Amino acid sequence: IAAYQQALAVRTQSAKPVEWATTMMNLATAYSDRIRGDKAENLEQAISAYQQALAVRTQSARPVEWAEALNNLASAYYSRVRGDKAENLEQAIAAYRQVLTVFTQSARPVEWAGTMFNLALANVTRIRGDKAENLDQAIATYQQVLAVRTQSAMPVEWALTVMNLANAYSIRIRGDKAENLEQAIAAYQQALTVFTRPAMPAEYSQTLRNLGALYFNDRRWSEANHVYSGVIETGSSLLALAATGAGRQQNITESALAYVRSAYCALRLGQPSAALERLEAGKTRLQEESFALDDTNLLRLSEGQRDQIRIARAHIRALEAEYRLPTDHPQRREELELTAALRAAREEQESIIDAVRVEQPDFMPGDLALPEILALIPPDGALVAPLFTSQGSGVFIVPHGAQNVITDHVIMLDDFTDGDAARLLIGTEGDPGWLRGYLEGDVEETLETITRRLWDDLVEAIDARLQTLGVKRVLFMPQGGLGLLPVHAAWREVDGQRRYFMDDYTITYAPSAYALQAAAKRAANQTGKNALIAGVSHYPEPMSDLPNTASEARAIADLFGVSPLLDGQAVVAAVNALSRSANYLHLACHGSFAWGGDTYQAGLFLHNGEMLTMGEIMGQLDLKQARLVTLSACETGITDIRKAPDEFLGLPAAFMQAGASAVVSSLWTVEDRSTALLMEKMYQLMLDKDNPLEPAVALREAQFWLRSNPVYAHPFYWAAFKIDGV
């Protein structure tokens, strides 16, 4: 961009109009593709530059260049963020139609087909006009495009057009619904003859996801399950290839939905054991692969291992780029040779990852078998794992000692969907869910309302089944954003008194069974009492001071017989160094979730506002000795459900990834004094010489103790904290 702008100082419109217009075109395209800066502003700059170029590239003087510029301008209007969306689409459609006066099928068939394709896409998303007519126009246009984009001459473009034709049929309003569905299915299957897994795994996976959605929404469980299995098989290789954090996150999000829907299909097919295995595989795979393939976690590998993985990724991306070239391109190898090369490159990458796993068992682990999952259920307890989808939901409630998952271990909630879960979590302006109410500042009232609705909508049915089992402990593995809600604080009235879910059970949370298994193995060897206690009270403006954290840290340090790190001593370097030998790590300070930003920048504010981020925790901390990490700070238990439907991108999972067996964290901005009281009581109960309690039980008893004080009886003061792990 900078170079093009410099060139415009020499290539002026008056002196060199043709070269000036070409430079403006290139500048506009660069702005359209720009990654940095504000996307909306970049598009405005692109639109402006295209419009300026059209002052020279006129239809009468330079018709082909005019059509090229107008085509690009139409695409920019189609993607435009600012302005009225409906009007932007009308501008795009009008421009595409003008382009077609020059890019005709007879004169310039390839450009005509590309413009027609874009016009059809704009009609699918068009807001104005009759929706049914717009869709039929799009279908007719795609069919016309296929006269030029044939499978033999332009296989990739043909498959892309066929897939988009299928998309249009899948949402068509006119005609017979069943016939439209079959047309869409047939078109997706045609696209898969080109979009194969070895050659084009990203397009293959996208086509399968679209096909799977059709089957799933039509409740064709067996066919949907088969298709989603293909998506899952492809997901790992796509995640390994992702070059950017955004690419990784997109793959994680898309694969997560496939796991969930496949698990629900298995439930509907009467296969509850397979369903639980698939649900857990999704949690484990997505969590661990996300962390393992993030660049911060690659730092745990040797330099040679990192280089091998990066070189393998780059090689596969280069081969995929070659595959996308036209079949007659001089730099494109023959189909069989190129496909074989892609297959070999992916096999090589898998062998590299397998070799890394031998030395680093925690790197991209395999799935747990059902017996391993069931073995994690605590004595006198049950595993509770919800599964929410658009077509209904189910909740696994499997007691300790079960050798298999049977139908009686599942509650089917046909009328409760992922949309209902979203309403609890987010809601609307008129009926706010938890996050909306929280972010708007109405915390206490929203908490009261949502925890009661949570009981009525979901927890009551779970509790009824748990009561019949007679269990006292609950291992809760949340899904669908449920990890952001204080499930333990769901309540109802019994004999005129409020009774919470946690009143009847000791509740622990886990992001996945694999994470729990790893934590349990480590916990068996974490028997020491070495503690690192840090407290930060004073912060630079505009951050507020925390007057009670220093006293909190001193009181807890006294219980362990150690000296705390206070204020100036509580720096990131000291925490990194001293935490390696700590069995207990307690951090009392400010914390923050990265709302709207990079989740890996969520973290804890230590001395002078220095931040210990999630990325640093994963990449630098060694907490293999840590029996418990307590994050006595705000918003330390929040996860990023905007980018992935499962709860793994958060500080608790990051600390467990770094080696901790259990993590106490908070779901909202907590009050300083009540938190200090709660934490001191929890450690008193854990370190009691006569009757020491395990962390989960100690936290629960401390919450009971705090809420018995009328000043702190409201769940806002005690319910924010939960425990992940063992």
Side-chain angles (χ1 to χ4, degrees):
I1 288 172
Y4 288 136
Q5 289 171 332
Q6 284 181 296
L8 289 170
V10 177
R11 292 181 171 180
T12 63
Q13 183 176 0
S14 58
K16 295 187 175 183
V18 175
E19 293 87 345
W20 173 84
T22 300
T23 306
M24 289 296 288
M25 281 288 298
N26 291 336
L27 176 62
T29 302
Y31 269 118
S32 292
D33 297 338
R34 192 183 188 198
I35 298 171
R36 292 182 179 168
D38 179 64
K39 180 181 178 181
E41 177 57 28
N42 289 337
L43 284 171
E44 293 304 306
Q45 293 283 359
I47 289 169
S48 175
Y50 284 133
Q51 289 171 332
Q52 290 180 73
L54 286 166
V56 171
R57 292 188 167 190
T58 64
Q59 184 173 8
S60 58
R62 313 183 75 86
V64 172
E65 293 175 353
W66 169 82
E68 289 172 348
L70 194 58
N71 206 6
N72 288 352
L73 177 61
S75 297
Y77 268 116
Y78 177 81
S79 304
R80 192 183 189 195
V81 177
R82 295 181 183 168
D84 179 66
K85 180 66 175 176
E87 178 58 27
N88 290 337
L89 286 170
E90 294 304 307
Q91 292 274 13
I93 289 169
Y96 285 134
R97 287 173 177 163
Q98 284 182 281
V99 170
L100 290 170
T101 62
V102 172
F103 287 169
T104 63
Q105 184 175 357
S106 58
R108 303 185 74 89
V110 174
E111 292 87 344
W112 171 85
T115 306
M116 289 284 282
F117 178 89
N118 290 338
L119 178 60
L121 192 60
N123 266 315
V124 168
T125 54
R126 191 182 186 193
I127 297 169
R128 294 179 184 169
D130 179 68
K131 182 67 175 176
E133 176 60 26
N134 291 339
L135 287 171
D136 281 359
Q137 287 277 0
I139 289 170
T141 305
Y142 283 132
Q143 290 169 332
Q144 287 178 277
V145 170
L146 291 171
V148 171
R149 289 185 169 184
T150 63
Q151 185 171 5
S152 58
M154 305 174 69
V156 174
E157 293 81 358
W158 171 84
L160 183 62
T161 305
V162 168
M163 187 173 76
N164 277 271
L165 176 61
N167 293 344
Y169 267 118
S170 71
I171 58 174
R172 191 184 185 204
I173 298 168
R174 293 176 180 168
D176 180 71
K177 182 179 179 181
E179 176 59 25
N180 290 335
L181 180 64
E182 293 306 317
Q183 290 276 13
I185 290 170
Y188 284 134
Q189 290 171 336
Q190 282 183 289
L192 289 169
T193 62
V194 171
F195 292 160
T196 62
R197 182 182 174 189
M200 303 184 71
E203 290 81 359
Y204 168 81
S205 181
Q206 180 63 63
T207 308
L208 283 186
R209 286 195 300 272
N210 293 347
L211 180 58
L214 285 187
Y215 285 136
F216 189 79
N217 293 333
D218 203 40
R219 296 175 168 253
R220 292 160 67 166
W221 309 123
S222 181
E223 292 154 301
N225 197 28
H226 175 73
V227 170
Y228 282 126
S229 293
V231 176
I232 289 166
E233 289 170 6
T234 312
S236 295
S237 59
L238 288 176
L239 189 61
L241 288 173
T244 65
R248 278 189 294 270
Q249 192 60 60
Q250 180 181 359
N251 290 329
I252 291 166
T253 301
E254 291 167 348
S255 294
L257 182 61
Y259 277 106
V260 169
R261 287 186 168 181
S262 177
Y264 189 73
C265 288
L267 276 184
R268 285 296 187 180
L269 293 168
Q271 302 165 4
S273 290
L276 181 58
E277 283 186 309
R278 181 52 59 89
L279 179 64
E280 163 54 27
K283 292 175 181 293
T284 298
R285 275 274 188 83
L286 301 175
Q287 175 189 337
E288 294 299 326
E289 289 181 359
S290 171
F291 286 152
L293 284 175
D294 185 80
D295 286 341
T296 58
N297 217 266
L298 286 180
L299 295 175
R300 294 179 178 272
L301 307 182
S302 69
E303 184 176 351
Q305 290 169 333
R306 292 198 301 271
D307 288 343
Q308 281 185 305
I309 290 174
R310 287 168 177 158
I311 290 170
R313 285 185 196 167
H315 180 47
I316 293 172
R317 286 197 295 272
L319 288 171
E320 287 190 325
E322 182 182 344
Y323 190 88
R324 288 177 173 82
L325 294 173
T327 53
D328 58 351
H329 195 284
Q331 294 181 358
R332 189 185 193 276
R333 281 171 277 182
E334 292 294 328
E335 182 80 10
L336 290 177
E337 181 186 358
L338 186 52
T339 301
L342 273 163
R343 185 182 299 109
R346 291 199 175 91
E347 289 173 353
E348 173 65 18
Q349 179 181 249
E350 287 300 316
S351 69
I352 292 169
I353 291 172
D354 288 341
V356 171
R357 284 194 186 112
V358 173
E359 298 179 31
Q360 304 270 1
D362 287 343
F363 185 80
M364 295 179 66
D367 302 334
L368 294 187
L370 183 65
E372 295 177 285
I373 299 171
L374 299 180
L376 297 169
I377 301 173
D380 198 26
L383 167 67
V384 175
L387 170 60
F388 305 133
T389 80
S390 61
Q391 300 302 311
S393 303
V395 183
F396 296 94
I397 304 178
V398 188
H400 174 77
Q403 300 300 307
N404 213 334
V405 183
I406 60 176
T407 304
D408 286 348
H409 293 154
V410 182
I411 299 174
M412 297 303 295
L413 304 173
D414 295 342
D415 296 328
F416 189 89
T417 69
D418 52 11
D420 296 308
R423 279 186 284 276
L424 279 171
L425 186 64
I426 301 171
T428 63
E429 288 188 16
D431 183 22
W434 163 240
L435 283 184
R436 187 182 291 271
Y438 172 59
L439 293 174
E440 291 176 356
D442 195 8
V443 181
E444 294 191 25
E445 183 176 343
T446 304
L447 188 60
E448 290 268 330
T449 304
I450 294 302
T451 50
R452 178 56 200 254
R453 282 176 53 189
L454 184 59
W455 177 271
D456 293 339
D457 292 354
L458 183 65
V459 177
E460 182 177 18
I462 296 172
D463 177 69
R465 182 63 58 88
L466 292 171
Q467 292 290 342
T468 64
L469 294 173
V471 301
K472 296 299 179 185
R473 299 177 66 93
V474 169
L475 168 59
F476 200 91
M477 289 203 299
Q479 185 260 335
L482 205 60
L484 297 186
L485 293 171
V487 175
H488 51 279
W491 63 277
R492 77 285 195 195
E493 286 193 356
V494 177
D495 298 328
Q497 299 293 319
R498 182 173 296 192
R499 190 164 189 84
Y500 296 94
F501 188 39
M502 64 174 287
D503 288 349
D504 296 306
Y505 314 98
T506 298
I507 301 170
T508 56
Y509 297 79
S512 70
Y514 175 81
L516 191 67
Q517 184 191 65
K521 289 178 180 178
R522 291 191 295 263
N525 301 316
Q526 296 163 336
T527 57
K529 290 292 190 291
N530 186 29
L532 170 59
I533 314 298
V536 182
S537 291
H538 303 295
Y539 285 93
E541 293 184 353
M543 301 176 72
S544 60
D545 286 345
L546 299 173
N548 291 290
T549 52
S551 59
E552 174 187 335
R554 290 192 191 95
I556 294 169
D558 286 345
L559 293 172
F560 282 101
V562 299
S563 298
L565 299 179
L566 299 177
D567 286 314
Q569 299 170 310
V571 295
V572 169
V575 171
N576 283 347
L578 298 175
S579 61
R580 293 177 180 273
S581 59
N583 304 111
Y584 293 87
L585 175 60
H586 183 91
L587 302 173
C589 55
H590 273 304
S592 179
F593 178 67
W595 294 103
D598 181 1
T599 305
Y600 288 95
Q601 295 305 309
L604 303 160
F605 293 98
L606 299 180
H607 170 63
N608 204 32
E610 184 184 18
M611 198 171 193
L612 177 62
T613 67
M614 189 170 82
E616 291 170 333
I617 292 161
M618 290 163 45
Q620 299 176 20
L621 291 190
D622 181 358
L623 300 175
K624 292 184 176 63
Q625 302 300 319
R627 175 67 185 88
L628 177 68
V629 171
T630 302
L631 308 177
S632 181
C634 299
E635 300 182 342
T636 53
I638 296 178
T639 53
D640 194 347
I641 62 159
R642 297 169 305 130
K643 299 178 182 175
D646 270 322
E647 294 68 44
F648 55 87
L649 284 175
L651 289 172
F655 274 101
M656 292 178 73
Q657 179 79 6
S661 292
V663 181
V664 171
S665 61
S666 63
L667 292 172
W668 54 81
T669 300
V670 294
E671 198 267 341
D672 187 33
R673 177 58 180 162
S674 60
T675 298
L677 293 170
L678 177 70
M679 293 302 163
E680 184 176 355
K681 186 65 174 180
M682 181 183 75
Y683 283 103
Q684 288 174 351
L685 294 167
M686 274 196 294
L687 300 174
D688 187 284
K689 292 182 179 179
D690 298 322
N691 184 32
L693 301 181
E694 62 179 283
V697 178
L699 174 61
R700 178 176 182 245
E701 292 296 327
Q703 288 170 319
F704 287 160
W705 171 81
L706 183 65
R707 82 183 206 206
S708 67
N709 184 330
V711 176
Y712 302 121
H714 194 281
F716 168 78
Y717 296 101
W718 53 266
F721 288 96
K722 65 184 183 74
I723 185 165
D724 287 80
V726 295

